[in-house]
Amino acid sequence: MDIYRAIADPTRRAILDELVDRSGQTLFELCARLTMKHGINSSRQAISQHLDVLEAAGLVRTRREGRSKLHWFVGAPLKAIGERWPISTDDSISDPTEEDNQQ
Amino acid sequence: MRLNLTGVFVDDQQKALHFYTEILGFRIRHNIPLGEYAWITVVSEEAPEGTELLLEPDAHPAVPPFMKALVEDGIPANSFAVDDVAAEHERLVAKGVRFVQPPTDLGTVITAVFDDTCGNLIQIVEQKGQP
């Protein structure tokens, strides 16, 4: 699973937003947050499948705490995006139209 | 028709009686020995004539796997109303209660979820006032 497909879906991006807000959530907490804060009324099963996709892409990790399964956001795989298309630190050459004007 | 009884399955009735009275602060309404098990209900100190909570043995073979599956996904077995989730969270943590979800603002309500030590997660809910 590549990260581009994983983050292409708005529900999966909302899941990551909520896991950034608080690490270590159960499926129940995530579903409550998605319903109440994002108006996403997908079934628990659908959210669970979205989590599987995110986990396969390395963006979510799970761990058991007590008898509950908790979910964490892992940002490291997103570095590949910045490495593939580096963000220029020099603004003057990041915009080709500006560059033309200067010369 | 009225709702006078709700319940939770528990893996140990005596342990549950201790947790629901000594830790949560409910009052015993019934404790009737019935052989191996007992008919145990508790009520809220704030509403002693209100709905009773039955602490029901998990003796049926279908029950333990059911409880386990709910806990795995963080799904509460029951939900209780409180005036102030943050204050209850603080009070219960001081008594050693383990929360799987700290107080969380969900817009119209604030909720938290804790482990009842008897095989369940319990949600507490505060209805937020109108701004």
Side-chain angles (χ1 to χ4, degrees):
Chain A
M1 172 61 61
D2 71 9
I3 53 169
Y4 303 102
R5 220 192 103 198
I7 60 173
D9 181 272
T11 298
R12 290 201 284 270
R13 291 197 296 273
I15 288 172
L16 296 183
D17 289 340
E18 290 306 319
L19 289 178
V20 167
D21 191 49
R22 193 177 94 76
S23 290
Q25 294 184 44
T26 62
L27 178 61
F28 174 81
E29 178 177 353
L30 256 179
C31 290
R33 285 165 170 258
L34 293 171
T35 302
M36 302 295 282
K37 294 170 76 177
H38 299 264
I40 295 168
N41 291 311
S42 307
S43 67
R44 282 197 191 109
Q45 192 151 14
I47 300 304
S48 184
Q49 283 164 1
H50 282 309
L51 283 166
D52 288 344
V53 172
L54 290 167
E55 197 173 354
L59 292 166
V60 164
R61 254 182 236 157
T62 63
R63 199 180 75 197
R64 261 166 208 288
E65 204 168 285
R67 279 167 297 179
S68 298
K69 184 178 170 189
L70 306 183
H71 301 80
W72 271 263
F73 168 66
V74 180
L78 297 176
K79 274 195 293 193
I81 298 175
E83 283 163 9
R84 182 167 169 183
W85 296 294
I87 300 164
S88 172
T89 50
D90 182 354
D91 284 343
S92 64
I93 59 163
S94 64
D95 187 340
T97 53
E98 243 173 61
E99 202 173 334
D100 289 343
N101 293 342
Q102 279 169 2
Q103 284 169 356
Chain B
M1 205 176 285
R2 288 168 293 123
L3 292 169
N4 70 326
L5 185 72
T6 182
V8 284
F9 288 110
V10 295
D11 59 15
D12 179 326
Q13 282 190 299
Q14 292 313 312
K15 193 173 66 174
L17 188 58
H18 170 80
F19 184 86
Y20 280 82
T21 56
E22 301 300 319
I23 306 293
L24 295 188
F26 292 137
R27 181 194 297 181
I28 297 173
R29 178 70 191 270
H30 293 295
N31 189 355
I32 304 164
L34 298 167
E36 191 180 347
Y37 301 110
W39 179 264
I40 302 176
T41 69
V42 296
V43 289
S44 167
E45 289 283 359
E46 296 168 43
E49 302 303 315
T51 307
E52 296 171 51
L53 180 75
L54 175 67
L55 304 178
E56 187 166 7
D58 66 352
H60 190 285
V63 173
F66 162 75
M67 292 167 72
K68 190 165 172 275
L70 292 187
V71 170
E72 172 157 336
D73 281 341
I75 302 169
N78 217 316
S79 183
F80 306 145
V82 299
D83 292 332
D84 185 340
V85 163
E88 281 293 337
H89 173 258
E90 197 177 334
R91 180 179 78 87
L92 294 174
V93 165
K95 290 188 165 196
V97 175
R98 189 178 70 86
F99 277 74
V100 298
Q101 182 204 308
T104 306
D105 191 331
L106 296 175
T108 54
V109 291
I110 299 172
T111 68
V113 179
F114 62 82
D115 184 336
D116 80 348
T117 72
C118 309
N120 302 293
L121 299 177
I122 298 292
Q123 178 170 255
I124 48 176
V125 181
E126 168 188 344
Q127 296 288 337
K128 284 168 75 178
Q130 296 299 321

